Structure formats: structure tokens, C-alpha cells
Coordinates of all heavy atoms in Angstrom, one line a residue:
M1 N 0.8 -1.2 0.0 CA 0.0 0.0 0.0 C 0.9 1.2 0.0 O 0.4 2.4 -0.4 CB -0.9 0.1 1.3 CG -2.2 -1.0 1.1 SD -3.2 -0.6 -0.3 CE -3.8 1.0 -0.2
Q2 N 2.1 1.1 0.4 CA 2.9 2.3 0.5 C 3.1 2.8 -1.0 O 3.2 4.0 -1.3 CB 4.4 2.0 1.0 CG 4.5 1.9 2.5 CD 4.4 0.5 2.9 OE1 3.7 -0.3 2.2 NE2 5.0 0.0 3.9
Q3 N 3.3 1.8 -1.9 CA 3.4 2.2 -3.3 C 2.2 2.9 -3.8 O 2.3 3.9 -4.6 CB 3.5 0.9 -4.1 CG 4.8 0.1 -3.7 CD 4.8 -1.2 -4.4 OE1 3.7 -2.0 -4.6 NE2 6.0 -1.6 -5.0
C4 N 1.1 2.6 -3.3 CA -0.2 3.2 -3.8 C -0.2 4.6 -3.4 O -0.8 5.5 -4.0 CB -1.4 2.5 -3.4 SG -1.3 0.6 -3.3
A5 N 0.3 4.8 -2.1 CA 0.2 6.2 -1.4 C 0.9 7.2 -2.2 O 0.7 8.4 -2.0 CB 0.8 6.1 -0.1
A6 N 1.8 6.8 -3.2 CA 2.6 7.8 -4.1 C 1.4 8.5 -4.9 O 1.7 9.7 -5.1 CB 3.5 7.1 -4.9
C7 N 0.3 7.9 -5.1 CA -0.6 8.5 -6.1 C -2.0 8.6 -5.5 O -2.7 9.3 -6.1 CB -0.7 7.7 -7.3 SG 0.9 7.5 -8.2
H8 N -2.3 7.9 -4.4 CA -3.6 7.9 -3.9 C -3.7 8.1 -2.4 O -2.8 7.7 -1.6 CB -4.3 6.5 -4.0 CG -4.5 5.9 -5.2 ND1 -5.5 6.3 -6.1 CD2 -3.8 5.1 -6.2 CE1 -5.5 5.7 -7.3 NE2 -4.5 4.9 -7.3
T9 N -4.6 8.8 -1.9 CA -5.0 8.9 -0.5 C -6.0 8.0 -0.2 O -6.9 7.6 -1.1 CB -5.4 10.4 -0.1 OG1 -6.6 10.8 -0.9 CG2 -4.4 11.3 -0.3
L10 N -6.0 7.5 1.0 CA -7.0 6.5 1.5 C -7.9 7.1 2.6 O -9.0 6.4 2.8 CB -6.2 5.2 1.9 CG -7.0 4.0 2.3 CD1 -7.9 3.5 1.0 CD2 -6.0 2.8 2.5
A11 N -7.6 8.0 3.2 CA -8.4 8.6 4.3 C -9.7 9.0 3.7 O -9.8 9.6 2.7 CB -7.6 9.7 5.1
K12 N -10.6 9.0 4.7 CA -12.1 9.6 4.3 C -12.0 11.0 3.8 O -11.3 11.8 4.7 CB -13.0 9.3 5.4 CG -14.5 9.6 5.0 CD -15.3 9.4 6.2 CE -16.9 9.4 5.8 NZ -17.7 9.0 6.8
G13 N -12.5 11.5 2.8 CA -12.4 12.8 2.3 C -11.0 13.3 1.8 O -10.8 14.5 1.7
G14 N -10.1 12.4 1.7 CA -8.8 12.7 1.3 C -8.8 13.3 -0.1 O -9.6 13.1 -0.9
A15 N -7.8 14.2 -0.3 CA -7.8 14.9 -1.6 C -7.2 13.9 -2.7 O -6.5 13.0 -2.4 CB -6.8 15.9 -1.6
P16 N -7.7 14.1 -4.0 CA -7.1 13.2 -5.1 C -5.7 13.6 -5.3 O -5.3 14.8 -4.9 CB -7.9 13.6 -6.2 CG -8.7 14.9 -5.8 CD -8.7 15.0 -4.4
G17 N -4.9 12.7 -5.6 CA -3.4 13.1 -6.0 C -3.4 12.7 -7.4 O -4.2 13.2 -8.2
V18 N -2.3 12.1 -7.8 CA -2.2 11.7 -9.2 C -3.4 10.7 -9.7 O -4.1 10.8 -10.7 CB -0.9 10.8 -9.4 CG1 -0.8 10.3 -10.9 CG2 0.3 11.7 -9.2
G19 N -3.9 10.0 -8.6 CA -5.1 9.1 -8.8 C -6.1 9.7 -7.9 O -5.8 10.5 -6.9
P20 N -7.3 9.0 -7.9 CA -8.5 9.4 -7.0 C -8.3 8.9 -5.7 O -7.5 7.9 -5.4 CB -9.6 8.8 -7.8 CG -9.2 7.6 -8.5 CD -7.7 8.1 -9.0
N21 N -9.0 9.6 -4.6 CA -9.1 9.1 -3.3 C -9.7 7.8 -3.3 O -10.5 7.4 -4.1 CB -9.9 10.0 -2.4 CG -10.1 9.5 -1.0 OD1 -11.2 9.0 -0.8 ND2 -9.2 9.7 -0.2
L22 N -9.3 6.8 -2.4 CA -9.7 5.4 -2.5 C -10.5 5.0 -1.4 O -10.9 3.8 -1.1 CB -8.5 4.5 -2.5 CG -7.6 4.6 -3.9 CD1 -6.5 3.5 -3.8 CD2 -8.6 4.3 -5.2
Y23 N -11.0 6.0 -0.5 CA -11.8 5.6 0.7 C -13.2 5.0 0.2 O -13.8 5.6 -0.7 CB -12.1 6.9 1.6 CG -12.9 6.5 2.8 CD1 -12.3 6.0 3.9 CD2 -14.2 6.6 2.8 CE1 -12.9 5.6 5.0 CE2 -14.9 6.3 4.0 CZ -14.3 5.8 5.1 OH -14.9 5.4 6.3
G24 N -13.6 3.8 0.6 CA -14.8 3.3 0.4 C -14.9 2.6 -1.1 O -16.0 2.5 -1.6
I25 N -13.7 2.3 -1.6 CA -13.6 2.0 -3.1 C -14.3 0.6 -3.4 O -14.9 0.4 -4.3 CB -12.3 2.1 -3.7 CG1 -12.3 2.0 -5.1 CG2 -11.3 1.1 -3.1 CD1 -12.8 3.4 -5.9
V26 N -14.2 -0.3 -2.4 CA -14.7 -1.6 -2.5 C -16.2 -1.5 -2.4 O -16.7 -1.1 -1.4 CB -14.2 -2.7 -1.5 CG1 -14.8 -4.1 -1.7 CG2 -12.6 -2.7 -1.6
G27 N -17.0 -1.9 -3.5 CA -18.3 -1.8 -3.6 C -18.8 -0.5 -4.3 O -20.0 -0.4 -4.5
A28 N -17.9 0.3 -4.6 CA -18.2 1.7 -5.3 C -18.3 1.5 -6.7 O -17.8 0.4 -7.2 CB -17.2 2.7 -4.8
K29 N -18.8 2.4 -7.4 CA -18.9 2.5 -8.8 C -17.4 2.7 -9.3 O -16.8 3.7 -8.8 CB -19.9 3.5 -9.4 CG -21.3 3.2 -9.0 CD -21.8 2.1 -9.9 CE -23.3 1.6 -9.5 NZ -23.4 0.2 -9.3
S30 N -17.0 2.0 -10.4 CA -15.7 2.3 -10.9 C -15.5 3.5 -11.6 O -16.5 4.0 -12.2 CB -15.3 1.1 -11.7 OG -16.2 1.1 -12.9
F31 N -14.3 4.1 -11.4 CA -14.0 5.3 -12.1 C -14.9 6.5 -12.1 O -15.4 7.0 -13.0 CB -13.5 5.0 -13.5 CG -12.5 3.8 -13.6 CD1 -12.9 2.6 -14.1 CD2 -11.3 4.0 -13.1 CE1 -12.0 1.6 -14.2 CE2 -10.3 3.0 -13.1 CZ -10.6 1.7 -13.7
S32 N -15.6 6.6 -10.9 CA -16.7 7.6 -10.8 C -16.5 8.5 -9.6 O -17.5 9.1 -9.1 CB -18.0 6.7 -10.5 OG -18.2 5.8 -11.7
A33 N -15.3 8.7 -9.1 CA -15.2 9.7 -7.9 C -15.3 11.1 -8.6 O -14.9 11.5 -9.6 CB -13.7 9.6 -7.6
P34 N -16.2 11.9 -7.8 CA -16.7 13.2 -8.4 C -15.3 14.1 -8.4 O -14.4 14.1 -7.5 CB -17.6 13.7 -7.3 CG -17.7 12.8 -6.2 CD -16.9 11.5 -6.6
G35 N -15.3 14.8 -9.5 CA -14.1 15.8 -9.5 C -12.8 15.2 -10.1 O -11.9 16.0 -10.1
F36 N -12.8 13.9 -10.3 CA -11.4 13.4 -10.7 C -11.5 13.2 -12.3 O -12.5 12.8 -12.8 CB -11.2 12.1 -10.1 CG -9.7 11.7 -10.4 CD1 -8.6 12.1 -9.8 CD2 -9.4 10.7 -11.5 CE1 -7.3 11.7 -10.1 CE2 -8.2 10.4 -11.9 CZ -7.1 10.8 -11.2
N37 N -10.5 13.7 -12.9 CA -10.5 13.6 -14.3 C -9.8 12.4 -14.8 O -8.7 12.3 -14.9 CB -9.6 14.9 -14.9 CG -9.8 15.1 -16.3 OD1 -10.7 14.4 -17.0 ND2 -8.9 15.9 -16.9
Y38 N -10.6 11.3 -15.1 CA -10.1 10.0 -15.4 C -9.6 10.0 -16.8 O -10.0 11.0 -17.7 CB -11.2 9.0 -15.2 CG -11.6 8.7 -13.9 CD1 -12.6 9.3 -13.2 CD2 -10.8 7.8 -13.2 CE1 -12.9 9.1 -11.9 CE2 -11.1 7.5 -11.8 CZ -12.1 8.1 -11.2 OH -12.5 7.9 -9.9
S39 N -8.7 9.2 -17.3 CA -8.2 9.1 -18.5 C -9.3 8.5 -19.4 O -10.2 7.8 -19.0 CB -6.9 8.1 -18.6 OG -7.3 6.9 -18.3
A40 N -9.1 8.7 -20.7 CA -10.2 8.1 -21.8 C -10.1 6.7 -21.6 O -11.1 6.0 -21.9 CB -9.7 8.7 -23.0
A41 N -9.0 6.1 -21.3 CA -8.8 4.7 -21.3 C -9.9 4.0 -20.3 O -10.2 2.9 -20.5 CB -7.3 4.3 -20.8
V42 N -10.1 4.7 -19.3 CA -10.9 4.1 -18.2 C -12.4 4.5 -18.4 O -13.3 4.0 -17.7 CB -10.5 4.2 -16.8 CG1 -9.1 3.6 -16.6 CG2 -10.5 5.6 -16.3
K43 N -12.7 5.7 -19.0 CA -14.0 6.2 -19.0 C -15.1 5.1 -19.6 O -16.1 5.1 -19.1 CB -14.0 7.5 -19.8 CG -13.5 8.6 -18.9 CD -13.6 10.0 -19.7 CE -13.3 11.0 -18.6 NZ -12.6 12.3 -19.3
G44 N -14.6 4.4 -20.6 CA -15.6 3.3 -21.1 C -15.9 2.2 -20.1 O -16.8 1.4 -20.3
K45 N -15.0 2.2 -19.0 CA -15.3 1.1 -18.1 C -15.8 1.7 -16.7 O -15.9 1.0 -15.7 CB -14.0 0.5 -17.7 CG -13.3 -0.2 -18.9 CD -12.1 -1.0 -18.7 CE -11.3 -1.5 -19.7 NZ -12.1 -2.7 -20.5
A46 N -16.3 3.0 -16.7 CA -16.8 3.6 -15.5 C -18.2 3.1 -15.3 O -18.9 2.6 -16.1 CB -16.9 5.1 -15.8
G47 N -18.5 2.9 -14.0 CA -19.9 2.8 -13.6 C -20.1 1.2 -13.3 O -21.2 0.8 -12.8
A48 N -19.1 0.4 -13.4 CA -19.2 -1.0 -13.1 C -18.9 -1.0 -11.5 O -18.6 0.0 -11.0 CB -18.1 -1.8 -13.8
T49 N -19.2 -2.0 -10.9 CA -19.0 -2.2 -9.4 C -17.6 -2.8 -9.1 O -17.3 -3.8 -9.7 CB -20.1 -3.0 -8.7 OG1 -21.4 -2.3 -9.0 CG2 -19.9 -2.9 -7.2
W50 N -16.9 -2.2 -8.1 CA -15.7 -2.6 -7.8 C -15.9 -3.8 -6.7 O -16.3 -3.6 -5.6 CB -14.8 -1.6 -7.2 CG -14.1 -0.8 -8.1 CD1 -14.0 0.5 -8.0 CD2 -13.1 -1.2 -9.1 NE1 -13.1 1.1 -9.0 CE2 -12.6 0.0 -9.8 CE3 -12.8 -2.3 -9.8 CZ2 -11.8 0.0 -10.8 CZ3 -12.0 -2.4 -10.9 CH2 -11.5 -1.1 -11.4
T51 N -15.8 -5.0 -7.1 CA -15.9 -6.2 -6.3 C -14.5 -6.8 -6.1 O -13.5 -6.3 -6.7 CB -16.8 -7.4 -6.9 OG1 -16.0 -7.8 -8.2 CG2 -18.1 -6.8 -7.3
D52 N -14.5 -7.8 -5.2 CA -13.2 -8.5 -5.1 C -12.6 -8.9 -6.4 O -11.4 -8.8 -6.7 CB -13.4 -9.6 -4.2 CG -12.2 -10.4 -3.8 OD1 -11.3 -9.8 -3.3 OD2 -12.2 -11.7 -4.0
D53 N -13.5 -9.4 -7.3 CA -13.0 -10.0 -8.6 C -12.5 -8.9 -9.6 O -11.5 -9.0 -10.1 CB -14.2 -10.7 -9.3 CG -14.2 -12.1 -8.9 OD1 -13.4 -12.6 -8.0 OD2 -15.2 -12.8 -9.2
T54 N -13.4 -7.7 -9.7 CA -12.9 -6.7 -10.6 C -11.7 -6.0 -10.2 O -10.9 -5.7 -10.9 CB -14.1 -5.8 -10.9 OG1 -14.7 -5.3 -9.6 CG2 -15.3 -6.5 -11.7
L55 N -11.7 -5.8 -8.8 CA -10.5 -5.1 -8.3 C -9.2 -5.9 -8.5 O -8.2 -5.5 -8.7 CB -10.7 -4.8 -6.8 CG -11.3 -3.4 -6.4 CD1 -11.6 -3.3 -5.0 CD2 -10.4 -2.3 -6.9
S56 N -9.4 -7.2 -8.3 CA -8.2 -8.1 -8.4 C -7.8 -8.1 -9.9 O -6.6 -8.0 -10.1 CB -8.6 -9.5 -8.0 OG -7.6 -10.3 -8.1
A57 N -8.7 -8.1 -10.8 CA -8.3 -8.0 -12.3 C -7.5 -6.7 -12.6 O -6.5 -6.6 -13.2 CB -9.5 -8.1 -13.2
W58 N -8.1 -5.6 -12.1 CA -7.5 -4.3 -12.4 C -6.1 -4.1 -11.7 O -5.2 -3.7 -12.3 CB -8.5 -3.2 -11.7 CG -7.9 -1.8 -11.5 CD1 -7.7 -1.2 -10.3 CD2 -7.6 -0.8 -12.4 NE1 -7.3 0.0 -10.4 CE2 -7.2 0.2 -11.8 CE3 -7.5 -0.8 -13.9 CZ2 -6.7 1.5 -12.4 CZ3 -7.0 0.2 -14.6 CH2 -6.6 1.4 -13.8
L59 N -6.0 -4.6 -10.4 CA -4.7 -4.5 -9.7 C -3.8 -5.5 -10.2 O -2.5 -5.2 -10.0 CB -5.0 -4.6 -8.2 CG -5.8 -3.5 -7.5 CD1 -6.0 -3.8 -6.1 CD2 -5.1 -2.2 -7.7
E60 N -4.1 -6.6 -10.8 CA -3.1 -7.4 -11.3 C -2.4 -6.9 -12.4 O -1.2 -7.1 -12.6 CB -3.8 -8.8 -11.7 CG -2.8 -9.8 -12.3 CD -3.4 -11.1 -12.5 OE1 -4.7 -11.3 -12.6 OE2 -2.7 -12.1 -12.8
N61 N -3.2 -6.2 -13.3 CA -2.5 -5.7 -14.5 C -3.4 -4.5 -15.0 O -4.3 -4.6 -15.9 CB -2.5 -6.8 -15.5 CG -1.8 -6.3 -16.8 OD1 -1.5 -5.2 -16.9 ND2 -1.8 -7.2 -17.8
P62 N -3.2 -3.3 -14.5 CA -4.0 -2.1 -14.8 C -3.9 -1.9 -16.3 O -4.9 -1.6 -17.1 CB -3.3 -1.0 -14.1 CG -2.6 -1.7 -13.0 CD -2.2 -3.0 -13.4
M63 N -2.6 -2.0 -16.8 CA -2.5 -1.7 -18.4 C -3.3 -2.8 -19.2 O -3.7 -2.5 -20.3 CB -1.1 -1.7 -18.8 CG -0.5 -0.3 -18.6 SD -0.1 0.0 -16.8 CE 1.5 0.6 -16.9
G64 N -3.4 -4.0 -18.6 CA -4.2 -5.0 -19.3 C -5.7 -4.8 -19.3 O -6.5 -5.0 -20.2
Y65 N -6.1 -4.3 -18.1 CA -7.5 -4.1 -17.8 C -8.1 -2.9 -18.7 O -9.2 -2.8 -19.2 CB -7.7 -3.8 -16.4 CG -9.1 -3.7 -15.8 CD1 -9.7 -4.8 -15.4 CD2 -9.7 -2.5 -15.9 CE1 -11.0 -4.7 -14.8 CE2 -11.0 -2.4 -15.3 CZ -11.8 -3.5 -14.8 OH -13.0 -3.5 -14.4
A66 N -7.3 -1.9 -18.7 CA -7.7 -0.6 -19.5 C -6.4 0.0 -20.1 O -5.8 0.7 -19.6 CB -8.1 0.5 -18.3
P67 N -6.1 -0.5 -21.4 CA -4.9 -0.1 -22.0 C -4.9 1.4 -22.2 O -5.9 2.0 -22.6 CB -5.1 -0.9 -23.4 CG -5.9 -2.0 -23.2 CD -6.8 -1.5 -22.0
G68 N -3.8 1.9 -21.9 CA -3.6 3.4 -22.0 C -4.0 4.1 -20.6 O -3.9 5.4 -20.5
T69 N -4.4 3.4 -19.6 CA -4.7 4.0 -18.3 C -3.5 4.9 -17.8 O -2.4 4.6 -18.0 CB -5.0 3.1 -17.2 OG1 -5.3 3.7 -16.1 CG2 -3.9 2.0 -17.0
M70 N -3.8 6.0 -17.1 CA -2.9 6.8 -16.5 C -2.3 6.2 -15.2 O -1.4 6.8 -14.6 CB -3.6 8.1 -16.0 CG -3.9 9.1 -17.0 SD -4.4 10.8 -16.2 CE -5.7 10.3 -15.2
M71 N -2.9 5.1 -14.7 CA -2.3 4.4 -13.5 C -1.1 3.7 -14.0 O -1.1 2.5 -14.4 CB -3.3 3.6 -12.9 CG -2.7 2.9 -11.7 SD -3.9 2.3 -10.5 CE -3.4 0.9 -9.9
A72 N 0.1 4.5 -13.8 CA 1.4 4.0 -14.3 C 1.9 3.1 -13.2 O 2.6 3.5 -12.2 CB 2.3 5.1 -14.5
Y73 N 1.3 1.8 -13.0 CA 1.7 1.0 -12.0 C 1.7 -0.5 -12.7 O 0.7 -0.8 -13.3 CB 0.7 1.0 -10.9 CG 0.8 0.1 -9.7 CD1 1.9 0.4 -8.8 CD2 0.3 -1.1 -9.7 CE1 2.2 -0.4 -7.7 CE2 0.5 -2.0 -8.4 CZ 1.6 -1.6 -7.6 OH 1.8 -2.5 -6.5
P74 N 2.8 -1.3 -12.5 CA 2.9 -2.6 -13.2 C 1.8 -3.6 -12.7 O 1.5 -4.5 -13.5 CB 4.2 -3.0 -12.9 CG 4.8 -2.2 -11.7 CD 4.0 -1.0 -11.7
G75 N 1.2 -3.5 -11.7 CA 0.3 -4.5 -11.1 C 1.0 -5.4 -10.1 O 2.2 -5.3 -9.8
I76 N 0.1 -6.0 -9.4 CA 0.5 -6.9 -8.2 C 0.2 -8.3 -8.7 O -0.9 -8.7 -8.9 CB -0.3 -6.6 -7.0 CG1 -0.4 -5.1 -6.6 CG2 0.0 -7.5 -5.9 CD1 -1.5 -4.9 -5.5
K77 N 1.3 -9.1 -9.0 CA 1.2 -10.4 -9.6 C 0.8 -11.4 -8.5 O 0.2 -12.5 -9.0 CB 2.5 -10.8 -10.3 CG 3.0 -9.8 -11.5 CD 1.8 -9.6 -12.5 CE 2.3 -8.3 -13.3 NZ 1.0 -7.5 -13.9
N78 N 1.1 -11.2 -7.3 CA 1.0 -12.2 -6.3 C -0.5 -12.2 -5.8 O -1.0 -11.1 -5.3 CB 1.9 -12.0 -5.1 CG 1.7 -13.2 -4.1 OD1 0.9 -13.0 -3.3 ND2 2.7 -14.0 -4.1
A79 N -1.2 -13.2 -5.9 CA -2.6 -13.3 -5.6 C -2.9 -12.9 -4.1 O -3.9 -12.3 -3.8 CB -3.3 -14.6 -6.0
Q80 N -2.1 -13.5 -3.2 CA -2.2 -13.3 -1.9 C -2.0 -11.7 -1.5 O -2.8 -11.2 -0.8 CB -1.2 -14.2 -1.1 CG -1.5 -14.1 0.5 CD -3.0 -14.5 0.9 OE1 -3.4 -15.5 0.6 NE2 -3.6 -13.7 1.5
T81 N -1.0 -11.2 -2.1 CA -0.7 -9.7 -2.0 C -1.9 -9.1 -2.4 O -2.4 -8.0 -1.7 CB 0.6 -9.3 -2.6 OG1 1.6 -10.2 -2.3 CG2 0.9 -7.9 -2.3
R82 N -2.5 -9.3 -3.6 CA -3.7 -8.7 -4.0 C -4.9 -8.7 -3.0 O -5.5 -7.7 -2.8 CB -4.0 -9.2 -5.4 CG -3.3 -8.5 -6.6 CD -4.1 -8.7 -8.0 NE -4.6 -10.1 -8.1 CZ -3.9 -11.0 -8.6 NH1 -2.6 -10.9 -8.9 NH2 -4.5 -12.3 -8.8
A83 N -5.1 -9.9 -2.6 CA -6.1 -10.2 -1.6 C -6.0 -9.4 -0.4 O -6.8 -8.7 0.1 CB -6.3 -11.5 -1.3
D84 N -4.6 -9.3 0.1 CA -4.4 -8.4 1.3 C -4.7 -6.9 1.0 O -5.2 -6.2 1.9 CB -2.9 -8.6 1.7 CG -2.6 -9.9 2.2 OD1 -3.5 -10.8 2.5 OD2 -1.6 -10.3 2.3
V85 N -4.2 -6.4 -0.1 CA -4.5 -5.0 -0.6 C -6.0 -4.8 -0.6 O -6.4 -3.8 0.0 CB -3.8 -4.6 -1.8 CG1 -4.2 -3.4 -2.4 CG2 -2.3 -4.7 -1.6
I86 N -6.7 -5.7 -1.2 CA -8.1 -5.4 -1.3 C -8.7 -5.5 0.0 O -9.7 -4.7 0.4 CB -8.8 -6.5 -2.3 CG1 -8.3 -6.3 -3.8 CG2 -10.4 -6.4 -2.2 CD1 -8.5 -7.4 -4.8
A87 N -8.5 -6.4 0.9 CA -8.9 -6.4 2.3 C -8.7 -5.1 3.1 O -9.5 -4.6 3.8 CB -8.4 -7.6 3.0
Y88 N -7.4 -4.6 2.8 CA -7.1 -3.3 3.4 C -8.0 -2.1 2.9 O -8.4 -1.3 3.7 CB -5.6 -3.0 3.2 CG -5.1 -1.8 3.9 CD1 -5.0 -1.7 5.4 CD2 -4.7 -0.7 3.1 CE1 -4.6 -0.7 6.0 CE2 -4.3 0.4 3.9 CZ -4.2 0.4 5.3 OH -3.9 1.6 6.0
L89 N -8.1 -2.2 1.6 CA -9.0 -1.1 1.0 C -10.4 -1.2 1.5 O -11.0 -0.2 2.0 CB -9.1 -1.3 -0.5 CG -7.8 -1.0 -1.3 CD1 -8.0 -1.4 -2.8 CD2 -7.4 0.5 -1.2
N90 N -10.9 -2.4 1.7 CA -12.2 -2.6 2.2 C -12.4 -2.2 3.7 O -13.5 -1.9 4.1 CB -12.5 -4.1 2.1 CG -13.9 -4.4 2.2 OD1 -14.9 -3.7 1.8 ND2 -14.3 -5.6 2.9
S91 N -11.2 -2.3 4.4 CA -11.3 -1.8 5.9 C -11.4 -0.3 5.9 O -11.8 0.2 7.0 CB -10.2 -2.4 6.6 OG -9.0 -1.7 6.3
N92 N -11.1 0.4 5.0 CA -11.3 1.8 4.9 C -12.6 2.1 4.1 O -12.5 2.7 3.1 CB -10.0 2.4 4.2 CG -8.8 2.4 5.0 OD1 -8.5 3.3 5.8 ND2 -8.1 1.3 5.0
S93 N -13.6 2.1 4.9 CA -14.9 2.2 4.2 C -16.0 2.4 5.4 O -15.9 1.9 6.4 CB -15.2 0.9 3.4 OG -16.6 1.0 3.0
D94 N -17.0 3.2 5.0 CA -18.1 3.2 6.0 C -18.9 1.9 6.1 O -19.5 1.6 7.1 CB -19.0 4.3 5.6 CG -18.6 5.7 5.8 OD1 -17.7 5.9 6.5 OD2 -19.1 6.6 5.2
K95 N -19.0 1.2 4.9 CA -19.6 -0.1 5.1 C -18.8 -1.1 4.3 O -19.1 -1.4 3.1 CB -21.1 0.0 4.6 CG -21.3 0.7 3.3 CD -22.8 0.5 2.8 CE -23.1 1.0 1.4 NZ -22.4 0.4 0.3
P96 N -17.9 -1.8 4.9 CA -17.1 -2.8 4.3 C -18.0 -3.9 3.7 O -19.0 -4.3 4.2 CB -16.1 -3.4 5.3 CG -16.1 -2.3 6.4 CD -17.5 -1.5 6.2
E97 N -17.5 -4.4 2.6 CA -18.2 -5.4 1.9 C -17.8 -6.8 2.5 O -16.8 -6.9 3.1 CB -17.8 -5.5 0.4 CG -18.2 -4.3 -0.4 CD -19.7 -4.2 -0.6 OE1 -20.3 -5.1 -1.1 OE2 -20.2 -3.0 -0.4
K98 N -18.7 -7.8 2.3 CA -18.3 -9.1 2.7 C -17.4 -9.7 1.6 O -17.8 -9.9 0.5 CB -19.5 -10.1 2.8 CG -20.2 -9.9 4.3 CD -21.0 -11.0 4.5 CE -21.7 -10.8 5.8 NZ -22.6 -9.5 5.8
L99 N -16.1 -10.0 1.8 CA -15.2 -10.5 0.8 C -15.1 -12.0 1.0 O -15.3 -12.5 2.0 CB -13.8 -9.9 0.9 CG -13.7 -8.4 0.7 CD1 -12.3 -7.9 1.0 CD2 -14.1 -8.0 -0.6
P100 N -14.9 -12.7 -0.1 CA -14.9 -14.2 0.0 C -13.6 -14.6 0.9 O -12.6 -13.9 1.0 CB -14.6 -14.7 -1.4 CG -14.4 -13.5 -2.1 CD -14.8 -12.3 -1.5
Ligands
HEC201 C1 1.8 6.2 -10.4 C2 0.5 6.5 -9.9 C3 -0.4 5.4 -9.3 C4 0.0 4.3 -8.5 C5 1.5 3.9 -8.0 C6 -1.1 3.6 -8.2 N1 -2.3 4.2 -8.7 FE1 -4.2 3.6 -8.8 N2 -4.7 5.0 -10.0 C7 -3.9 5.9 -10.6 C8 -4.6 6.8 -11.7 C9 -4.0 8.0 -12.4 C10 -5.9 6.2 -11.6 C11 -7.0 6.7 -12.6 C12 -6.9 5.9 -13.8 C13 -7.2 6.6 -15.2 O1 -7.8 7.7 -15.1 O2 -6.6 6.0 -16.1 C14 -5.9 5.1 -10.7 C15 -7.1 4.4 -10.3 C16 -7.2 3.5 -9.4 C17 -8.3 2.9 -8.9 C18 -9.8 3.1 -9.6 C19 -10.3 4.2 -8.7 C20 -11.8 4.5 -9.1 O3 -12.1 5.7 -8.8 O4 -12.5 3.7 -9.6 C21 -8.1 2.0 -7.9 C22 -9.0 1.0 -7.2 C23 -6.7 2.1 -7.7 N3 -6.1 3.0 -8.6 C24 -5.9 1.3 -6.8 C25 -4.5 1.5 -6.7 C26 -3.8 0.7 -5.6 C27 -4.4 -0.4 -4.6 C28 -2.5 0.9 -5.9 C29 -1.4 0.3 -5.1 C30 -1.2 -1.1 -5.2 C31 -2.4 1.9 -6.9 N4 -3.5 2.2 -7.4 C32 -1.3 2.5 -7.3 C33 -2.5 6.2 -10.2 C34 -1.8 5.2 -9.5

């Protein structure tokens, strides 16, 4: 998560950085944070729901999920690390989702 903090804030009400604030992202609509100027690459994928599965796919390979995305991050190849990151994101939420 330290790597993510270079571009994202996680605190409730945190300001966007290079990327959008991630508070409450699990269960939220994808690429829909108000006021954040998303790249064209992800606009076509906006409005889906971020679940364990969709977040895992995005975080494994952002450039594969949305070619041309501004999220210049190679991805988390280790499935356990991805699950840990998603669980951590989920804990930063008003209403955490039930994860598998
Ligand atoms: C180099 C900067 C950078 C790093 C590092 C980075 N991100 Fe991002 N992230 C972005 C940008 C920029 C976007 C918006 C993508 C776009 O518009 O193409 C984004 C989008 C996202 C989204 C979708 C947000 C939404 O509103 O739907 C999630 C979730 C996310 N990042 C999680 C992470 C996590 C977790 C990490 C660490 C493992 C991480 N990011 C690392 C820049 C970054």
C-alpha cells in the first residue's frame, strides 16, 4: 500500500493526488469519483461495481484491464498480496463489503 500512497490517498475525504481518493472504493462504482479527471482509457469502463474480482483484475494488471490508463503501475502479480491489498482497502470504508 505504500506504493499506492505515491498516487492515492485512502483517508475519508482525502484529496485526490495523481489518482483518485480510495476511501470506500470496494463496492463503489468504478472510475466515478466526483471531480477526478479520469483518462479516456478508463471512461468506457466507468460505472461498473468494484468487487473483489474486478479489483483483483484491475490491480493484477492495470494496463491489461484498461490499455492506456494513467495508472502507471505494473500491477500486483501475487494473488495473496492482491487479496491483502483489497482487504485493506475494504477496511477503509463506511460499510465494508463481505469478501470471500
Ligand atoms: C503512479 C501513480 C499510481 C500508483 C502508484 C497507483 N495508482 Fe491507482 N490510479 C492511478 C490513476 C491515475 C488512476 C485513474 C486511472 C485513469 O484515469 O486512467 C488510478 C485508479 C485506481 C483505482 C480506480 C479508482 C476509481 O475511482 O474507480 C483503484 C482502485 C486504484 N487506482 C488502486 C490502486 C492501488 C491499490 C495501488 C497500489 C497497489 C495503486 N492504485 C497505485 C494512479 C496510481
